[in-house]
Amino acid sequence: MKNIADHMFDIFENSVNAKATEVKIIISYENNIFFCSISDNGFGISGPEVLDPFYTTRKTRKVGLGLPLLKKTTEDTGGYLKVNRINENGGTYLEFKINMSHIDAKPFGDLSNAFLDIIFAWPDINLKIYFEKYHQKKIIFNAEKIKKQMEKDKTAFFEIRNRISCILKDEFNKIGIL
């Protein structure tokens, strides 16, 4: 993974592959510390094996590098990655922290376009994205609202996509991620 945006896309794809129908993402960026938590209602993963590059639930190949690479990315900057099953019925909670001022920190990449791709690649996922600053959470995206708008006017797809793109870019800029 070349940047944080690639990691975010990969994590979301893991949720989709785990049959999640709801995903909640919280992002914070303060004092050069990037924090992200992602929770879903998929079948759930946990245990140290999920961070082993030679462990995967995929049937098409025998390695799963996404989470091990994210772990290395975080730890190279003095950060961390935690992955836990939410409860016995499933669901996964993942959080990570990266010190973006560290010399080994990967660049953010185009986070707003990565999220835009996520939103429109998997429209059936109930996705909520929050930004947190000074311990105050603000929802910046709610898939349920967008689905309702799209159902009302199916011809407004590109207008809605452009509006979401502008909102995401503006919100990332507000918290200092350019």
Side-chain angles (χ1 to χ4, degrees):
M1 311 276 166
K2 294 179 184 177
N3 54 50
I4 307 302
D6 291 344
H7 283 294
M8 298 298 292
F9 194 90
D10 181 68
I11 294 167
F12 193 85
E13 193 172 27
N14 289 346
S15 293
V16 170
N17 291 335
K19 306 296 185 221
T21 58
E22 297 180 5
V23 178
K24 179 172 119 178
I25 300 172
I26 300 172
I27 293 174
S28 172
Y29 183 61
E30 296 180 53
N31 301 319
N32 289 318
I33 302 297
F34 179 77
F35 173 84
C36 179
S37 72
I38 301 172
S39 57
D40 69 38
N41 67 345
F43 57 70
I45 59 171
S46 65
E49 69 274 359
V50 301
L51 299 175
D52 179 349
F54 300 104
Y55 172 83
T56 183
T57 58
R58 292 184 178 183
K59 307 292 183 229
T60 56
R61 61 180 186 223
K62 295 181 181 182
V63 294
L65 295 176
L67 290 177
L69 287 175
L70 177 58
K71 183 176 189 278
K72 178 156 179 32
T73 295
T74 62
E75 290 176 350
D76 283 353
T77 70
Y80 65 86
L81 168 65
K82 294 179 185 176
V83 182
N84 295 304
R85 175 173 258 154
I86 294 174
N87 59 48
E88 64 277 352
N89 297 325
T92 299
Y93 176 80
L94 177 146
E95 72 176 43
F96 64 93
K97 181 175 88 169
I98 299 173
N99 178 355
M100 298 304 292
S101 65
H102 194 282
I103 193 165
D104 292 326
K106 291 185 178 182
F108 283 114
D110 193 341
L111 281 167
S112 59
N113 272 331
F115 277 108
L116 195 63
D117 289 345
I118 286 168
I119 290 164
F120 286 95
W122 296 288
D124 295 333
I125 303 287
N126 181 14
L127 172 64
K128 292 182 180 170
I129 303 171
Y130 298 82
F131 282 2
E132 187 172 54
K133 189 135 183 151
Y134 307 117
H135 304 291
Q136 294 182 6
K137 258 191 276 188
K138 174 185 175 186
I139 188 161
I140 63 155
F141 180 79
N142 183 341
E144 289 177 359
K145 287 183 178 182
I146 299 305
K147 286 178 191 175
K148 287 177 184 174
Q149 286 180 338
M150 294 291 284
E151 287 170 5
K152 287 180 187 176
D153 184 4
K154 297 193 188 296
T155 62
F157 174 82
F158 291 108
E159 181 182 329
I160 291 171
R161 185 177 169 89
N162 288 340
R163 189 169 58 206
I164 293 170
S165 176
C166 290
I167 289 168
L168 289 171
K169 286 177 183 176
D170 185 49
E171 292 298 330
F172 275 111
N173 280 329
K174 283 180 187 176
I175 66 169
I177 299 173
L178 307 173

